[in-house]
Amino acid sequence: MADDYEIVAAIDFGTTYSGYAYCSKTDFKRSPPVIKTSAWKSGTGTCDKFMKTPTVVLFDQNRKFDSFGFEAEKKYLKLALRNQQESWYFFKRFKMRLHQRETERTNERLTIDTIVEDETGKSMKALDVFSSAIQYLKDHLQNLLIEQGMRDKNEVMKKVRWVLTVPAIWTDPAKEFMKKAAIKAGLPENKLLLALEPEAASLCCWSIRNVSPDGRTILTPGLSYTVLDMGGGTADIVTHKIEDGEKLREMHAPVGGDWGGTNVNSSFQGLLIKLVGAPVLSKFKNKHVVDYLEMMNDFEIKKQFVSLENDEEVMLTVPGSLVKIFEEETDGENLSDVIEQTPMKGQLEWTSGRLILQPELFKTFFSISLDNVIKKLKELFNATESQDVSTLLLVGGFSESRILRKAIREAFTDKRIIHPEHPSLAILEGAVIYGHSPMSVKTRICKYTYGFMAAKSIKQHDQNIPKNRTIMDGTCETMIFDKLVEVGQAVEAGRYQVQKTYSKLSPEQSSMILFMYTSTDKNPQYVTDDSCSLLGDLIINLPPGHREVVVSTMFSDTFLTVKAVEKDSNTKVTARFNFLA
């Protein structure tokens, strides 16, 4: 990692909202550090500035980038008002496509050519969509720094170290995909770090937001605390302990799932489907884009700020255009009559263009997120490594939801629940801190057992050994899982954990490919075991003649790092992982 930088700039690429923050070396040395964040104008007149902008990308008919964030939303609405939007590409909440594909990685692997669909089903290469969004945020910050006195973009790129946030529960291929998207967007690889989102929030709360309203210190050395990062797409959970020297020790591998705030929106749409039917809702979404977006934006506000205190009813506006399509498709059927025939009778009312929900029905929209998160936290607090945790740190954009915060407090009355001001900015500010001080994290925990596929010489063919094969006129046991590190193992940050020597099959061989596998078991025997999955490969370019190469692998960074040398001469050779084949 290049050390010649003057400013750290962090990009928080979120499922629902994105933004950036930055801080110079001089400002970082102040107490507390002075970290500046982006400011965005929505153009609606409802608010001058927002700290983040929607993660929305618009491309024209030729798939050429047009705009991002509030600008993209505004442009798309104007096109829709004139019925000119059909040939344009409008992407939102596409970040979760990486997580969805990785949870099914044995069936459909994430690749460099993976595609994503926009809001109307049109597709583009995911790498183009992601890189365009990152490039917009990069360019926005570059222009700001130039306005503030830097000479040009070349000077910005020379002086800035970049940090990109990613969910901690993401797999290595998803992280590599984001890194490649960032490089394609123009971020230099030798000045680019990936920061794990809950880890960044932890660093922020420990470093610069560590005082309660009554002046008490919240997090102290020796304390173990759990971070619950509730984002738009994912929920990330990890437990940290503050070590001597003010460094963080990870107590267990990050856990979580796709339990973020978008599930609430999906549940609301599920209710509409029960009432009007999927074909009607789909037709409404395609024919009345403006009404659909305004309806969902209105729901987004309700999701965050409705508290359900005092058994308050929740009123949701339903556009007349949706009702009209429903009546046309059902020969004038009335929504009130439909409601009377559903189990929601008495919990839901249709009147004057509005749905009125009783609080218990509205709360069910949160069930997927809340049930999964609370269950996982209870499992965690019962585990040995988290039994002494007394503090729960609640961060992330979805943690602004009053319903979510209340449910967490009621479920864990024995814990001290800390909800910092502007919890989504905690990740951004923490990512800046990480960029200035990557070694502030001392230890991480392996999420999987990692190993290379290997072969081992045996004296003769043995029917009791199931994986026999003749290689170079010798008999070998093949498909062996050559373990490097195991699931649950603590690994020290900044150090290469494993060093292994591998041999060429012939002196003329100019490259070597090692296939890396992961396993949920501690001691898998063969890469064909049910617990094992192919992660990708390590490609090593070899000098002529020499037979052996020493490979060192680091599992303690936010993504896998490798180096290789020719054994006899100690000459460095090129080695790189490829998880996106």
Side-chain angles (χ1 to χ4, degrees):
M1 176 57 60
D3 196 47
D4 54 336
Y5 71 96
E6 295 297 326
I7 295 173
V8 167
I11 295 175
D12 182 14
F13 189 92
T15 300
T16 311
Y17 294 98
S18 296
Y20 60 76
Y22 60 99
C23 174
S24 68
K25 282 184 176 179
T26 302
D27 284 341
F28 186 70
K29 293 176 182 177
R30 297 181 181 180
S31 184
V34 179
I35 299 176
K36 301 174 183 177
T37 57
S38 52
W40 309 89
K41 292 185 178 180
S42 67
T44 62
T46 57
C47 181
D48 278 342
K49 292 181 180 179
F50 290 85
M51 291 175 286
K52 288 189 175 183
T53 191
T55 308
V56 174
V57 196
L58 181 64
F59 296 84
D60 67 15
Q61 303 96 319
N62 300 313
R63 300 181 182 180
K64 181 180 178 181
F65 173 79
D66 181 86
S67 48
F68 179 83
F70 286 121
E71 294 177 13
E73 282 191 342
K74 187 176 179 181
K75 176 72 171 283
Y76 191 66
L77 285 174
K78 285 183 178 179
L79 289 167
L81 285 170
R82 295 175 173 83
N83 291 320
Q84 298 173 348
Q85 83 283 0
E86 286 190 9
S87 58
W88 289 64
Y89 295 75
F90 184 62
F91 293 89
K92 62 187 302 184
R93 294 178 179 165
F94 52 90
K95 178 182 173 182
M96 282 300 292
R97 309 295 172 87
L98 301 188
H99 180 76
Q100 288 169 351
R101 290 183 182 276
E102 279 309 288
T103 56
E104 300 169 352
R105 58 186 179 157
T106 55
N107 298 320
E108 185 180 4
R109 290 178 56 82
L110 181 67
T111 74
I112 206 71
D113 295 317
T114 290
I115 63 171
V116 289
E117 294 183 346
D118 80 339
E119 288 294 283
T120 59
K122 297 187 295 294
S123 62
M124 283 183 58
K125 285 183 66 172
L127 189 67
D128 292 338
V129 178
F130 279 80
S131 62
S132 295
I134 296 171
Q135 182 173 341
Y136 176 88
L137 293 165
K138 179 208 70 173
D139 291 346
H140 196 278
L141 176 57
Q142 279 184 324
N143 294 333
L144 177 62
L145 293 176
I146 291 171
E147 288 176 5
Q148 294 178 352
M150 284 197 173
R151 188 164 43 251
D152 52 29
K153 290 187 176 182
N154 289 332
E155 183 179 9
V156 173
M157 298 309 292
K158 182 179 179 180
K159 292 186 176 181
V160 173
R161 170 183 284 178
W162 299 88
V163 182
L164 183 65
T165 65
V166 294
I169 61 172
W170 268 11
T171 57
D172 298 290
K175 293 175 186 176
E176 183 181 350
F177 186 94
M178 288 300 291
K179 184 179 178 182
K180 286 187 179 295
I183 294 170
K184 181 177 172 65
L187 302 186
E189 185 174 5
N190 67 334
K191 288 187 176 181
L192 174 63
L193 292 170
L194 297 187
L196 306 181
E197 290 169 1
E199 197 170 87
S202 185
L203 286 173
C204 173
C205 294
W206 159 240
S207 302
I208 63 177
R209 296 196 190 180
N210 200 14
V211 179
S212 65
D214 59 3
R216 290 179 298 161
T217 300
I218 299 171
L219 307 176
T220 56
L223 178 74
S224 293
Y225 58 95
T226 294
V227 182
L228 171 57
D229 173 19
M230 296 298 297
T234 57
D236 270 356
I237 307 170
V238 68
T239 299
H240 289 146
K241 184 176 183 179
I242 302 170
E243 298 270 302
D244 294 336
E246 301 185 352
K247 291 190 176 184
L248 297 180
R249 174 183 290 274
E250 193 174 87
M251 302 304 292
H252 63 82
V255 295
D258 52 348
W259 311 323
T262 55
N263 285 290
V264 184
N265 302 61
S266 297
S267 295
F268 169 54
Q269 293 195 48
L271 171 68
L272 293 178
I273 288 173
K274 289 179 182 178
L275 295 178
V276 303
V280 168
L281 186 62
S282 178
K283 186 175 181 179
F284 164 68
K285 182 179 178 180
N286 292 328
K287 295 289 185 181
H288 299 277
V289 176
V290 175
D291 290 349
Y292 171 76
L293 292 176
E294 288 181 347
M295 178 183 73
M296 294 310 299
N297 286 338
D298 176 67
F299 180 80
E300 186 71 29
I301 295 172
K302 294 286 199 314
K303 178 180 79 176
Q304 293 292 78
F305 296 108
V306 165
S307 65
L308 303 184
E309 296 291 342
N310 302 317
D311 294 327
E312 63 176 303
E313 298 175 329
V314 181
M315 189 178 299
L316 301 176
T317 301
V318 176
S321 52
L322 173 58
V323 179
K324 184 178 180 181
I325 293 175
F326 169 72
E327 291 175 346
E328 290 173 349
E329 296 292 325
T330 59
D331 295 326
E333 193 169 356
N334 189 281
L335 270 179
S336 294
D337 295 335
V338 173
I339 292 171
E340 286 295 310
Q341 299 169 21
T342 71
M344 294 176 286
K345 177 182 177 181
Q347 291 287 305
L348 182 64
E349 182 182 350
W350 169 251
T351 179
S352 302
R354 291 172 175 82
L355 288 173
I356 301 176
L357 287 75
Q358 294 302 310
E360 285 304 313
L361 178 58
F362 188 77
K363 190 176 179 180
T364 62
F365 294 161
F366 293 74
S367 295
I368 294 175
S369 296
L370 292 180
D371 292 350
N372 282 288
V373 166
I374 291 172
K375 179 183 178 182
K376 182 59 69 174
L377 282 171
K378 287 182 176 179
E379 291 175 0
L380 193 63
F381 292 143
N382 287 328
T384 303
E385 62 268 22
S386 299
Q387 284 182 348
D388 62 343
V389 170
S390 61
T391 300
L392 179 61
L393 196 62
L394 186 57
V395 297
F398 185 33
S399 72
E400 296 276 15
S401 165
R402 298 177 184 180
I403 293 174
L404 183 145
R405 286 175 3 207
K406 181 182 178 183
I408 295 296
R409 291 184 184 279
E410 289 177 347
F412 301 101
T413 55
D414 60 329
K415 307 297 181 187
R416 184 183 184 192
I417 312 294
I418 306 298
H419 185 256
E421 184 181 13
H422 305 309
S424 61
L425 287 186
I427 295 170
L428 253 181
E429 293 172 349
V432 172
I433 295 170
Y434 179 75
H436 279 288
S437 184
M439 297 309 295
S440 53
V441 179
K442 182 178 180 180
T443 307
R444 294 187 175 94
I445 304 295
C446 296
K447 290 195 293 183
Y448 304 106
T449 297
Y450 288 84
F452 289 121
M453 182 175 71
K456 180 175 68 175
S457 297
I458 54 179
K459 290 184 178 180
Q460 60 185 6
H461 184 77
D462 187 343
Q463 295 293 340
N464 295 321
I465 298 177
K467 312 288 183 180
N468 282 289
R469 183 182 172 192
T470 300
I471 300 177
M472 295 292 291
D473 299 323
T475 303
C476 293
E477 181 183 8
T478 63
M479 298 289 182
I480 292 174
F481 192 107
D482 185 20
K483 186 170 74 171
L484 303 175
V485 293
E486 66 182 38
V487 60
Q489 179 179 332
V491 288
E492 187 173 343
R495 284 193 168 188
Y496 285 91
Q497 279 75 44
V498 184
Q499 189 176 87
K500 294 259 189 176
T501 300
Y502 297 94
S503 300
K504 290 183 180 182
L505 294 178
S506 68
E508 294 77 25
Q509 189 176 343
S510 61
S511 65
M512 181 185 297
I513 298 178
L514 300 176
F515 294 100
M516 177 170 274
Y517 283 77
T518 60
S519 174
T520 53
D521 288 348
K522 284 193 173 185
N523 295 296
Q525 185 176 3
Y526 297 106
V527 298
T528 52
D529 292 354
D530 289 341
S531 67
C532 299
S533 296
L534 175 65
L535 181 61
D537 50 53
L538 174 65
I539 303 171
I540 307 171
N541 294 325
L542 301 170
H546 299 289
R547 294 296 297 262
E548 293 183 313
V549 61
V550 179
V551 178
S552 302
T553 313
M554 184 188 300
F555 295 88
S556 57
D557 205 346
T558 50
F559 54 89
L560 292 183
T561 305
V562 67
K563 64 179 181 180
V565 297
E566 193 280 317
K567 185 177 181 179
D568 293 335
S569 65
N570 204 36
T571 303
K572 183 178 179 181
V573 297
T574 302
R576 61 181 177 83
F577 282 116
N578 180 19
F579 301 140
L580 299 173

